[in-house]
Amino acid sequence: MNECTVSSHVLNAVEGRPAAGVRLTLLREGEDGGYEAIHSAVTDADGRVSGWGTVPGRHRLRFDTGAWFAARGASTFYPEVEIAFTAAEGHSHVPLLLSPFAYSTYRGS
């Protein structure tokens, strides 16, 4: 099976800056339909996690937003954000725009 990569970028939409220190976990769907964690990291100073290697197919990116807001003395309605997507051959970029009471995502490049 061909390889692909997945990356992400988290932006703090309240301050208009990168969200450094957000824990992300990449999960991949198995043959039984369940998901297994295959990578985990924390966003760097620019709010980024660089390309993780995986295989094409269904994945989920889980963002630990509750811990990130709590570390800043804030609360959030969303203790975690999980985005389901299908990774294709090549590269998939999954950005997250984050605030305490809303989030948005799109297919990045």
Side-chain angles (χ1 to χ4, degrees):
M1 188 173 269
N2 294 329
E3 291 276 324
C4 62
T5 57
V6 174
S7 64
S8 185
H9 187 197
V10 183
L11 297 171
N12 177 345
V14 173
E15 298 178 5
R17 311 179 345 181
V22 178
R23 174 152 304 277
L24 279 74
T25 304
L26 179 65
L27 302 103
R28 180 176 57 217
E29 184 179 41
E31 291 181 18
D32 64 356
Y35 282 82
E36 126 180 64
I38 58 171
H39 296 289
S40 185
V42 174
T43 56
D44 64 16
D46 195 33
R48 295 181 182 274
V49 170
S50 55
W52 286 322
T54 186
V55 294
R58 292 179 56 129
H59 291 74
R60 294 176 188 239
L61 251 181
R62 183 178 299 147
F63 301 80
D64 189 357
T65 54
W68 185 80
F69 278 110
R72 283 145 189 78
S75 61
T76 178
F77 184 72
Y78 301 102
E80 72 180 26
V81 172
E82 190 168 276
I83 300 169
F85 65 99
T86 302
E89 285 184 30
H91 184 71
S92 297
H93 185 67
V94 184
L96 179 68
L97 306 174
L98 182 62
S99 72
F101 301 104
Y103 66 88
S104 180
T105 188
Y106 56 93
R107 182 179 178 187
S109 58

XYZ file of all heavy atoms in Angstrom:
824
model
N 0.846 -1.177 0.000
C 0.000 0.000 0.000
C 0.891 1.241 0.000
O 1.946 1.267 0.615
C -0.904 -0.022 1.222
C -1.953 1.076 1.202
S -3.128 0.927 2.542
C -4.353 -0.064 1.740
N 0.474 2.282 -0.670
C 1.253 3.510 -0.769
C 1.226 4.298 0.530
O 0.278 4.242 1.287
C 0.713 4.379 -1.910
C 0.921 3.722 -3.256
O 1.870 2.985 -3.458
N 0.018 3.978 -4.165
N 2.271 5.069 0.741
C 2.385 5.910 1.924
C 1.781 7.282 1.659
O 1.661 7.721 0.520
C 3.864 6.084 2.301
C 4.508 4.826 2.822
C 4.263 4.608 4.300
O 4.222 5.579 5.073
O 4.110 3.436 4.677
N 1.415 7.955 2.741
C 0.998 9.342 2.661
C 1.412 10.026 3.957
O 1.870 9.368 4.892
C -0.501 9.470 2.413
S -1.557 8.781 3.688
N 1.281 11.339 4.004
C 1.611 12.082 5.214
C 0.428 12.956 5.611
O -0.387 13.341 4.788
C 2.863 12.970 5.031
O 2.642 13.850 3.932
C 4.107 12.132 4.792
N 0.374 13.260 6.910
C -0.668 14.111 7.481
C 0.017 15.151 8.349
O 0.924 14.828 9.127
C -1.658 13.288 8.336
C -2.648 14.199 9.052
C -2.372 12.254 7.491
N -0.421 16.410 8.212
C 0.085 17.486 9.070
C -1.087 18.334 9.532
O -2.207 18.198 9.031
C 1.107 18.342 8.321
O 0.498 18.992 7.221
N -0.815 19.218 10.508
C -1.865 20.088 11.019
C -1.269 21.410 11.465
O -0.059 21.522 11.709
C -2.585 19.425 12.198
O -3.679 20.223 12.618
N -2.140 22.395 11.578
C -1.778 23.741 12.020
C -2.948 24.227 12.859
O -4.082 24.212 12.386
C -1.560 24.631 10.805
C -1.017 25.975 11.119
N -1.079 27.000 10.214
C -0.416 26.487 12.221
C -0.510 28.070 10.734
N -0.121 27.788 11.948
N -2.691 24.640 14.101
C -3.753 25.118 14.978
C -3.561 26.613 15.186
O -2.475 27.063 15.562
C -3.752 24.386 16.336
C -4.927 24.856 17.190
C -3.809 22.871 16.133
N -4.632 27.369 14.915
C -4.587 28.820 15.086
C -5.546 29.238 16.188
O -6.698 28.814 16.217
C -4.967 29.523 13.785
C -4.026 29.260 12.619
C -4.603 29.807 11.328
C -2.671 29.871 12.901
N -5.069 30.065 17.095
C -5.877 30.647 18.156
C -6.640 31.811 17.530
O -6.082 32.895 17.330
C -4.953 31.115 19.286
C -5.689 31.807 20.409
O -6.843 32.194 20.277
N -4.992 31.977 21.512
N -7.906 31.600 17.213
C -8.693 32.604 16.495
C -9.011 33.814 17.365
O -9.290 34.887 16.843
C -9.980 31.979 15.976
N -8.960 33.681 18.688
C -9.225 34.809 19.583
C -8.093 35.824 19.511
O -8.318 37.026 19.424
C -9.424 34.324 21.038
C -9.538 35.498 21.991
C -10.650 33.427 21.126
N -6.863 35.329 19.523
C -5.691 36.214 19.523
C -5.082 36.402 18.140
O -4.183 37.219 17.970
C -4.634 35.675 20.484
C -5.115 35.630 21.921
C -4.081 35.044 22.859
O -2.941 34.753 22.425
O -4.413 34.861 24.042
N -5.538 35.620 17.166
C -4.979 35.723 15.830
C -3.539 35.275 15.757
O -2.736 35.834 15.014
N -3.193 34.227 16.550
C -1.816 33.716 16.599
C -1.818 32.199 16.559
O -2.840 31.573 16.828
C -1.127 34.157 17.898
C -1.247 35.579 18.205
C -0.585 36.021 19.490
N -0.224 34.960 20.424
C 0.335 35.205 21.588
N 0.589 36.427 21.961
N 0.642 34.225 22.410
N -0.658 31.619 16.277
C -0.562 30.161 16.334
C -0.842 29.665 17.752
O -0.545 30.360 18.732
C 0.893 29.874 15.955
C 1.350 31.091 15.226
C 0.592 32.239 15.822
N -1.410 28.483 17.863
C -1.699 27.861 19.149
C -0.605 26.844 19.459
O -0.702 25.676 19.074
C -3.074 27.214 19.136
N 0.439 27.297 20.124
C 1.546 26.414 20.504
C 1.137 25.585 21.722
O 0.435 26.067 22.605
C 2.779 27.246 20.832
N 1.561 24.326 21.744
C 1.342 23.475 22.905
C 0.051 22.682 22.918
O -0.326 22.148 23.953
N -0.636 22.561 21.788
C -1.856 21.744 21.715
C -1.445 20.304 21.405
O -0.715 20.061 20.455
C -2.825 22.246 20.624
C -4.052 21.344 20.537
C -3.228 23.690 20.866
N -1.917 19.349 22.218
C -1.633 17.938 21.950
C -2.588 17.421 20.880
O -3.788 17.631 20.967
C -1.768 17.086 23.201
C -1.615 15.590 22.869
C -1.089 14.738 23.956
N 0.185 15.137 24.503
C 1.382 14.835 23.984
N 1.462 14.142 22.859
N 2.486 15.216 24.572
N -2.013 16.757 19.876
C -2.774 16.137 18.787
C -2.463 14.649 18.761
O -1.319 14.247 19.009
C -2.341 16.694 17.424
C -2.899 18.011 16.958
C -2.274 19.151 17.716
C -2.636 18.157 15.496
N -3.471 13.869 18.442
C -3.289 12.428 18.255
C -3.903 12.057 16.918
O -5.043 12.432 16.633
C -3.962 11.635 19.392
O -3.441 12.071 20.651
C -3.739 10.145 19.223
N -3.139 11.343 16.111
C -3.630 10.841 14.829
C -4.048 9.391 15.024
O -3.267 8.570 15.518
C -2.551 10.935 13.750
C -2.944 10.415 12.371
C -4.060 11.255 11.754
C -1.724 10.390 11.439
N -5.284 9.092 14.634
C -5.819 7.740 14.717
C -6.128 7.233 13.316
O -6.553 8.001 12.455
C -7.104 7.735 15.556
C -6.963 8.265 16.980
C -7.513 9.664 17.051
C -7.640 7.368 17.958
N -5.927 5.927 13.106
C -6.193 5.309 11.802
C -7.241 4.212 11.980
O -7.197 3.441 12.936
C -4.906 4.714 11.240
C -5.098 4.046 9.876
C -3.805 3.538 9.288
N -3.142 2.608 10.187
C -1.810 2.539 10.346
N -1.002 3.327 9.692
N -1.300 1.662 11.192
N -8.166 4.129 11.014
C -9.188 3.097 11.064
C -8.581 1.740 10.726
O -7.844 1.599 9.747
C -10.313 3.409 10.070
C -11.454 2.415 10.143
C -12.563 2.749 9.170
O -12.268 3.142 8.018
O -13.726 2.601 9.559
N -8.906 0.766 11.544
C -8.423 -0.594 11.310
C -9.419 -1.406 10.501
O -10.509 -0.937 10.161
N -9.056 -2.618 10.207
C -9.917 -3.499 9.420
C -11.228 -3.811 10.134
O -12.233 -4.102 9.488
C -9.170 -4.791 9.085
C -8.028 -4.575 8.105
C -7.304 -5.867 7.769
O -7.873 -6.955 8.004
O -6.186 -5.782 7.246
N -11.232 -3.731 11.465
C -12.449 -4.016 12.237
C -13.357 -2.793 12.378
O -14.397 -2.860 13.019
C -12.080 -4.549 13.620
C -11.338 -3.528 14.473
O -11.027 -2.412 13.988
O -11.066 -3.847 15.647
N -12.966 -1.660 11.779
C -13.763 -0.436 11.851
C -13.449 0.427 13.050
O -13.912 1.561 13.139
N -12.651 -0.091 13.979
C -12.234 0.702 15.139
C -11.036 1.571 14.775
O -10.414 1.398 13.719
N -10.706 2.509 15.647
C -9.584 3.413 15.398
C -8.475 3.167 16.408
O -8.746 2.912 17.584
C -10.044 4.872 15.476
C -10.778 5.310 14.238
C -12.123 5.014 14.073
C -10.125 5.983 13.216
C -12.805 5.395 12.924
C -10.792 6.369 12.065
C -12.134 6.070 11.933
O -12.788 6.446 10.800
N -7.239 3.250 15.934
C -6.071 3.060 16.794
C -5.158 4.277 16.665
O -4.952 4.798 15.558
C -5.361 1.767 16.409
C -3.914 1.899 16.098
C -3.237 0.598 15.708
O -3.605 0.024 14.669
O -2.304 0.208 16.422
N -4.645 4.752 17.799
C -3.716 5.886 17.804
C -2.401 5.439 17.186
O -1.843 4.402 17.562
C -3.495 6.390 19.219
N -1.901 6.219 16.215
C -0.645 5.863 15.562
C 0.437 6.926 15.743
O 1.611 6.634 15.570
C -0.845 5.546 14.063
C -1.466 6.720 13.309
C -1.679 4.279 13.893
C -1.490 6.544 11.788
N 0.053 8.158 16.063
C 1.019 9.232 16.304
C 0.430 10.213 17.308
O -0.783 10.403 17.355
C 1.330 10.022 15.022
C 2.004 9.236 13.954
N 3.317 8.827 14.051
C 1.559 8.786 12.755
C 3.644 8.163 12.955
N 2.589 8.120 12.151
N 1.307 10.855 18.066
C 0.891 11.903 18.979
C 2.019 12.907 19.096
O 3.191 12.526 19.069
C 0.559 11.302 20.349
O 0.035 12.288 21.211
N 1.672 14.180 19.195
C 2.688 15.240 19.323
C 2.008 16.489 19.860
O 0.782 16.546 19.995
C 3.328 15.533 17.969
N 2.828 17.488 20.154
C 2.355 18.785 20.618
C 2.746 19.816 19.570
O 3.861 19.768 19.028
C 2.988 19.122 21.986
C 2.639 20.522 22.431
C 2.541 18.105 23.028
N 1.840 20.753 19.280
C 2.151 21.775 18.276
C 3.349 22.608 18.704
O 3.544 22.895 19.889
C 0.943 22.707 18.026
O 0.519 23.290 19.253
C -0.200 21.965 17.370
N 4.159 23.001 17.722
C 5.356 23.797 17.986
C 4.995 25.273 18.167
O 3.814 25.635 18.220
C 6.392 23.595 16.874
C 5.932 24.075 15.508
O 4.949 24.843 15.415
O 6.577 23.687 14.509
N 5.988 26.141 18.253
C 5.770 27.574 18.478
C 4.936 28.219 17.380
O 4.287 29.245 17.604
C 7.110 28.288 18.611
N 4.938 27.612 16.187
C 4.145 28.135 15.074
C 2.783 27.432 14.978
O 2.075 27.583 13.990
C 4.930 27.977 13.766
C 4.354 28.808 12.632
O 3.825 29.916 12.895
O 4.405 28.350 11.480
N 2.424 26.629 15.993
C 1.139 25.932 16.002
C 1.072 24.747 15.068
O -0.009 24.278 14.743
N 2.213 24.214 14.664
C 2.235 23.161 13.638
C 2.726 21.813 14.165
O 3.540 21.752 15.074
C 3.139 23.575 12.485
C 2.623 24.785 11.743
C 3.547 25.166 10.583
N 3.057 26.356 9.928
C 2.155 26.378 8.952
N 1.660 25.242 8.498
N 1.755 27.510 8.420
N 2.213 20.780 13.532
C 2.742 19.424 13.655
C 3.059 19.005 12.240
O 2.189 19.027 11.360
C 1.717 18.470 14.298
C 2.183 17.041 14.200
C 1.464 18.849 15.747
N 4.320 18.649 11.988
C 4.726 18.318 10.623
C 4.266 16.931 10.225
O 3.644 16.232 11.005
C 6.241 18.471 10.470
O 6.895 17.698 11.440
N 4.581 16.542 9.005
C 4.026 15.346 8.385
C 4.301 14.047 9.108
O 5.436 13.649 9.281
N 3.232 13.381 9.507
C 3.304 12.041 10.058
C 3.073 11.054 8.932
O 2.183 11.232 8.105
C 2.198 11.822 11.084
C 2.375 12.487 12.409
C 3.545 12.643 13.106
C 1.360 13.057 13.226
N 3.304 13.270 14.296
C 1.975 13.534 14.396
C -0.011 13.208 13.089
C 1.270 14.138 15.420
C -0.717 13.815 14.117
C -0.082 14.268 15.261
N 3.835 9.993 8.898
C 3.644 8.962 7.892
C 2.493 8.043 8.250
O 2.309 7.691 9.412
N 1.712 7.654 7.266
C 0.604 6.721 7.447
C 0.288 6.101 6.085
O 1.103 6.194 5.166
C -0.628 7.417 8.083
O -1.624 6.422 8.374
C -1.201 8.501 7.197
N -0.846 5.469 5.986
C -1.302 4.910 4.716
C -2.637 5.553 4.358
O -3.352 6.035 5.231
C -1.453 3.367 4.788
C -0.099 2.705 4.984
C -2.421 2.958 5.877
N -2.991 5.595 3.072
C -4.282 6.180 2.700
C -5.439 5.467 3.393
O -5.373 4.267 3.677
C -4.341 5.970 1.182
C -2.911 5.905 0.762
C -2.211 5.192 1.891
N -6.489 6.218 3.670
C -7.675 5.644 4.304
C -8.284 6.595 5.311
O -7.886 7.754 5.416
N -9.243 6.081 6.069
C -9.951 6.906 7.049
C -9.103 7.118 8.298
O -8.513 6.171 8.823
C -11.279 6.256 7.410
C -12.247 6.277 6.223
C -13.542 5.624 6.583
N -14.101 6.294 7.759
C -15.340 6.758 7.835
N -16.156 6.619 6.832
N -15.777 7.328 8.931
N -9.068 8.369 8.739
C -8.303 8.770 9.914
C -9.123 9.732 10.759
O -10.136 10.266 10.301
C -7.008 9.480 9.495
C -6.018 8.585 8.849
N -6.163 8.104 7.566
C -4.854 8.083 9.312
C -5.127 7.334 7.271
N -4.316 7.307 8.309
N -8.646 9.981 11.957
C -9.191 11.018 12.829
C -8.025 11.760 13.457
O -7.016 11.151 13.807
C -10.057 10.418 13.932
C -11.304 9.758 13.397
C -12.087 9.081 14.499
N -13.162 8.315 13.894
C -14.436 8.503 14.163
N -14.807 9.416 15.046
N -15.350 7.780 13.572
N -8.176 13.069 13.578
C -7.211 13.883 14.305
C -7.922 14.370 15.554
O -8.977 15.002 15.465
C -6.774 15.097 13.470
C -5.371 15.088 12.921
C -5.093 16.365 12.139
C -4.324 14.851 13.964
N -7.369 14.061 16.723
C -7.956 14.471 17.998
C -7.085 15.575 18.607
O -5.876 15.405 18.778
C -8.040 13.283 18.932
C -8.710 13.605 20.258
C -8.820 12.374 21.129
N -9.638 11.372 20.469
C -9.438 10.055 20.594
N -8.442 9.595 21.317
N -10.236 9.214 19.966
N -7.715 16.698 18.913
C -7.042 17.860 19.487
C -7.470 17.983 20.950
O -8.670 18.065 21.238
C -7.448 19.138 18.749
C -7.129 19.131 17.281
C -7.943 18.468 16.374
C -6.019 19.815 16.796
C -7.662 18.476 15.015
C -5.727 19.828 15.436
C -6.552 19.159 14.553
N -6.532 18.021 21.877
C -6.841 18.144 23.306
C -6.997 19.624 23.660
O -6.133 20.237 24.273
C -5.755 17.486 24.147
C -6.133 17.396 25.612
O -7.225 17.890 25.998
O -5.338 16.847 26.387
N -8.117 20.200 23.263
C -8.351 21.632 23.425
C -8.633 22.013 24.871
O -8.264 23.101 25.314
C -9.510 22.084 22.526
O -10.648 21.272 22.789
C -9.133 21.941 21.054
N -9.271 21.130 25.631
C -9.571 21.431 27.032
C -8.325 21.673 27.853
O -8.244 22.651 28.604
N -7.333 20.809 27.714
C -6.078 20.973 28.462
C -5.345 22.232 28.024
O -4.736 22.932 28.847
C -5.183 19.744 28.273
N -5.392 22.537 26.719
C -4.711 23.728 26.206
C -5.324 24.994 26.789
O -4.617 25.876 27.253
C -4.753 23.740 24.678
C -3.972 24.857 24.078
C -2.613 24.893 23.889
C -4.469 26.103 23.601
N -2.256 26.093 23.324
C -3.374 26.858 23.139
C -5.740 26.655 23.517
C -3.500 28.129 22.599
C -5.873 27.922 22.977
C -4.765 28.650 22.522
N -6.666 25.087 26.788
C -7.317 26.263 27.372
C -7.085 26.326 28.881
O -6.824 27.391 29.438
C -8.818 26.276 27.058
C -9.135 26.808 25.698
C -9.599 25.970 24.698
C -8.992 28.151 25.403
C -9.904 26.457 23.431
C -9.281 28.658 24.134
C -9.741 27.808 23.154
N -7.186 25.182 29.571
C -6.984 25.151 31.023
C -5.591 25.642 31.403
O -5.426 26.359 32.398
C -7.217 23.738 31.559
N -4.577 25.287 30.611
C -3.199 25.734 30.887
C -3.064 27.252 30.773
O -2.121 27.840 31.278
C -2.223 25.042 29.929
N -4.020 27.882 30.129
C -4.025 29.341 29.967
C -5.037 30.012 30.888
O -5.360 31.183 30.734
C -4.318 29.702 28.500
C -3.103 29.486 27.649
C -3.414 29.007 26.254
N -2.158 28.638 25.598
C -1.503 27.507 25.808
N -1.960 26.616 26.649
N -0.373 27.253 25.187
N -5.578 29.254 31.833
C -6.537 29.791 32.786
C -7.900 30.083 32.181
O -8.644 30.907 32.699
N -8.226 29.416 31.093
C -9.502 29.646 30.401
C -10.290 28.341 30.343
O -9.743 27.260 30.537
C -9.243 30.169 28.992
N -11.558 28.460 30.069
C -12.387 27.271 29.877
C -12.875 27.248 28.427
O -12.760 28.239 27.707
C -13.571 27.276 30.844
O -14.382 28.409 30.623
N -13.408 26.107 28.037
C -13.917 25.947 26.675
C -15.128 25.031 26.689
O -15.242 24.153 27.554
C -12.845 25.377 25.730
O -13.412 25.207 24.425
C -12.299 24.050 26.205
N -16.019 25.244 25.765
C -17.183 24.390 25.599
C -16.781 23.033 25.017
O -17.452 22.031 25.226
C -18.186 25.089 24.681
C -19.478 24.347 24.515
C -20.398 24.274 25.556
C -19.785 23.725 23.318
C -21.595 23.589 25.403
C -20.983 23.041 23.156
C -21.892 22.971 24.198
N -15.675 22.999 24.266
C -15.206 21.794 23.582
C -13.930 21.262 24.242
O -12.839 21.735 23.948
C -14.921 22.091 22.106
C -16.118 22.605 21.364
C -16.260 23.956 21.080
C -17.132 21.739 20.966
C -17.372 24.430 20.408
C -18.245 22.204 20.295
C -18.361 23.557 20.019
O -19.454 24.025 19.365
N -14.029 20.263 25.127
C -12.827 19.746 25.777
C -11.885 19.025 24.812
O -10.696 18.906 25.083
C -13.362 18.786 26.836
C -14.733 18.417 26.361
C -15.242 19.595 25.577
N -12.431 18.558 23.697
C -11.604 18.014 22.632
C -12.337 18.196 21.311
O -13.558 18.298 21.272
C -11.214 16.555 22.848
C -12.308 15.558 22.669
C -11.841 14.121 22.891
O -10.868 13.884 23.627
O -12.469 13.230 22.307
N -11.555 18.265 20.259
C -12.098 18.347 18.909
C -11.547 17.147 18.163
O -10.340 16.888 18.208
C -11.673 19.664 18.209
C -12.079 19.648 16.745
C -12.258 20.870 18.938
N -12.419 16.402 17.497
C -11.975 15.260 16.706
C -12.504 15.437 15.289
O -13.705 15.592 15.094
C -12.460 13.950 17.320
C -11.827 12.740 16.674
C -12.086 11.476 17.463
O -11.339 11.220 18.425
O -13.041 10.771 17.114
N -11.592 15.422 14.339
C -11.938 15.619 12.935
C -11.691 14.318 12.181
O -10.569 13.809 12.175
C -11.102 16.756 12.322
C -11.360 18.053 13.081
C -11.414 16.904 10.833
C -10.392 19.166 12.731
N -12.737 13.805 11.573
C -12.625 12.600 10.745
C -12.379 13.034 9.301
O -12.984 13.978 8.820
C -13.897 11.772 10.838
N -11.465 12.339 8.617
C -11.138 12.673 7.233
C -10.568 11.451 6.542
O -10.179 10.478 7.195
C -10.148 13.848 7.157
C -8.803 13.536 7.749
C -7.739 13.182 6.934
C -8.602 13.579 9.117
C -6.490 12.884 7.475
C -7.355 13.287 9.674
C -6.305 12.941 8.850
N -10.520 11.511 5.230
C -9.928 10.438 4.441
C -8.610 10.927 3.862
O -8.588 11.870 3.067
C -10.877 10.004 3.305
O -12.113 9.596 3.886
C -10.282 8.862 2.506
N -7.523 10.313 4.278
C -6.198 10.659 3.761
C -5.997 9.963 2.423
O -6.286 8.773 2.286
C -5.111 10.236 4.745
N -5.538 10.730 1.460
C -5.258 10.189 0.134
C -3.748 10.046 -0.029
O -2.980 10.496 0.816
C -5.821 11.121 -0.933
N -3.339 9.427 -1.132
C -1.899 9.353 -1.421
C -1.352 10.768 -1.474
O -2.046 11.703 -1.872
C -1.669 8.661 -2.758
C -1.874 7.178 -2.705
C -1.530 6.511 -4.030
O -0.652 7.017 -4.762
O -2.152 5.482 -4.328
N -0.127 10.925 -1.079
C 0.484 12.249 -1.057
C 0.377 12.852 0.328
O 0.653 12.199 1.322
N -0.076 14.096 0.390
C -0.106 14.810 1.663
C -1.498 15.348 1.970
O -2.167 15.882 1.100
C 0.895 15.977 1.631
C 0.984 16.708 2.929
N 1.562 16.156 4.041
C 0.532 17.922 3.302
C 1.483 17.008 5.048
N 0.854 18.099 4.621
N -1.921 15.206 3.232
C -3.173 15.779 3.719
C -2.844 16.746 4.855
O -2.141 16.378 5.802
C -4.113 14.693 4.253
O -4.490 13.803 3.231
N -3.354 17.970 4.759
C -3.138 18.984 5.796
C -4.499 19.335 6.388
O -5.432 19.666 5.657
C -2.469 20.227 5.200
C -2.118 21.249 6.227
N -1.159 21.039 7.190
C -2.616 22.490 6.440
C -1.059 22.120 7.952
N -1.942 23.010 7.528
N -4.607 19.241 7.729
C -5.873 19.450 8.427
C -5.700 20.577 9.450
O -5.273 20.334 10.577
C -6.350 18.154 9.124
C -7.714 18.349 9.764
C -6.366 16.983 8.158
N -6.007 21.826 9.069
C -5.885 22.946 10.006
C -7.096 23.031 10.936
O -8.190 22.564 10.606
C -5.849 24.175 9.100
C -5.783 23.662 7.710
C -6.274 22.260 7.722
N -6.885 23.662 12.112
C -7.963 23.910 13.057
C -7.892 25.368 13.494
O -6.848 25.835 13.963
C -7.826 23.000 14.279
C -8.889 23.171 15.371
C -10.254 22.695 14.881
C -8.482 22.429 16.636
N -8.988 26.098 13.328
C -9.128 27.457 13.837
C -9.923 27.327 15.131
O -11.033 26.797 15.128
C -9.869 28.347 12.848
C -9.286 28.394 11.436
C -10.190 29.195 10.515
C -7.896 28.982 11.464
N -9.373 27.822 16.233
C -9.888 27.496 17.553
C -10.215 28.727 18.382
O -9.430 29.683 18.420
C -8.823 26.658 18.274
C -9.113 26.137 19.658
C -10.309 25.200 19.630
C -7.881 25.414 20.192
N -11.367 28.695 19.042
C -11.719 29.676 20.070
C -12.467 28.912 21.165
O -12.824 27.747 20.969
C -12.560 30.814 19.481
O -13.848 30.368 19.182
N -12.736 29.519 22.324
C -13.359 28.762 23.422
C -14.744 28.196 23.103
O -15.130 27.173 23.664
C -13.452 29.778 24.557
C -12.422 30.800 24.254
C -12.346 30.864 22.753
N -15.504 28.836 22.205
C -16.873 28.405 21.973
C -17.174 28.109 20.506
O -18.344 28.020 20.118
C -17.841 29.453 22.525
C -17.618 29.664 23.998
C -16.957 30.786 24.457
C -18.002 28.705 24.914
C -16.713 30.961 25.806
C -17.764 28.877 26.270
C -17.115 30.007 26.717
N -16.128 27.964 19.702
C -16.313 27.635 18.289
C -15.009 27.078 17.728
O -13.930 27.352 18.248
C -16.719 28.872 17.492
N -15.141 26.292 16.676
C -13.962 25.859 15.924
C -14.364 25.658 14.470
O -15.542 25.504 14.151
C -13.309 24.614 16.504
C -14.124 23.346 16.426
C -14.069 22.521 15.306
C -14.945 22.956 17.479
C -14.809 21.356 15.238
C -15.681 21.792 17.420
C -15.608 20.994 16.305
O -16.334 19.831 16.225
N -13.351 25.685 13.612
C -13.579 25.497 12.187
C -12.383 24.774 11.612
O -11.263 24.877 12.128
C -13.746 26.862 11.523
O -13.959 26.715 10.139
N -12.610 24.056 10.537
C -11.531 23.359 9.849
C -11.801 23.400 8.354
O -12.891 23.760 7.918
C -11.401 21.900 10.357
O -10.232 21.310 9.801
C -12.625 21.093 10.028
N -10.815 23.050 7.585
C -10.941 23.001 6.139
C -9.835 22.103 5.610
O -8.909 21.751 6.353
C -10.845 24.407 5.531
C -9.588 25.163 5.897
C -8.464 25.127 5.083
C -9.524 25.903 7.074
C -7.309 25.803 5.422
C -8.372 26.578 7.430
C -7.273 26.526 6.603
O -6.123 27.198 6.953
N -9.913 21.744 4.360
C -8.850 20.962 3.732
C -7.737 21.914 3.338
O -7.910 22.766 2.480
C -9.362 20.213 2.508
C -8.281 19.367 1.898
C -8.792 18.609 0.703
N -7.687 17.842 0.142
C -7.775 17.174 -0.980
N -8.897 17.140 -1.646
N -6.736 16.505 -1.420
N -6.626 21.792 3.989
C -5.476 22.653 3.711
C -4.649 22.133 2.557
O -4.956 21.109 1.956
N -3.579 22.837 2.290
C -2.687 22.428 1.204
C -1.267 22.253 1.707
O -0.939 22.631 2.787
C -2.708 23.466 0.090
O -2.321 24.716 0.570
